[in-house]
Amino acid sequence: ALGLEGPVTCLLYTDGVPTIGVSGQSGALESARLLATAGVTINSVGVGALSAENEEFDWTGGEFLSRLAELTRGKYFVLRPQL
């Protein structure tokens, strides 16, 4: 239990590519499962990442962010840049 009352919602704004920490996507999804049992909802906003090779946006983290939101009864949104 987190010791919080009422709905707890997290807004995660990211490219969806874990680069810090040792757990990667599988660890983050396991953490999301634990948070969901505590009543936490994660809404994720995928921002994409600018590819250095061709200056296009890379959305590879989208599937991961969608799953993360789904596990916690949240929603996944994509923020698409206007180039």
Side-chain angles (χ1 to χ4, degrees):
L2 296 175
L4 302 172
E5 295 182 25
V8 178
T9 301
C10 173
L11 179 60
L12 179 63
Y13 184 84
T14 178
D15 63 2
V17 180
T19 55
I20 298 176
V22 295
S23 58
Q25 288 186 1
S26 61
L29 292 173
E30 183 57 33
S31 294
R33 285 184 193 91
L34 293 173
L35 289 170
T37 62
V40 175
T41 299
I42 299 174
N43 294 302
S44 57
V45 180
V47 296
L50 188 61
S51 169
E53 292 86 37
N54 56 17
E55 296 187 9
E56 293 183 7
F57 274 81
D58 177 4
W59 301 100
T60 57
E63 185 176 330
F64 164 65
L65 292 175
S66 177
R67 183 75 182 123
L68 192 73
E70 179 184 310
L71 283 171
T72 62
R73 298 166 312 281
K75 302 221 182 281
Y76 167 58
F77 305 91
V78 177
L79 183 61
R80 298 192 185 277
Q82 293 183 340
L83 300 175

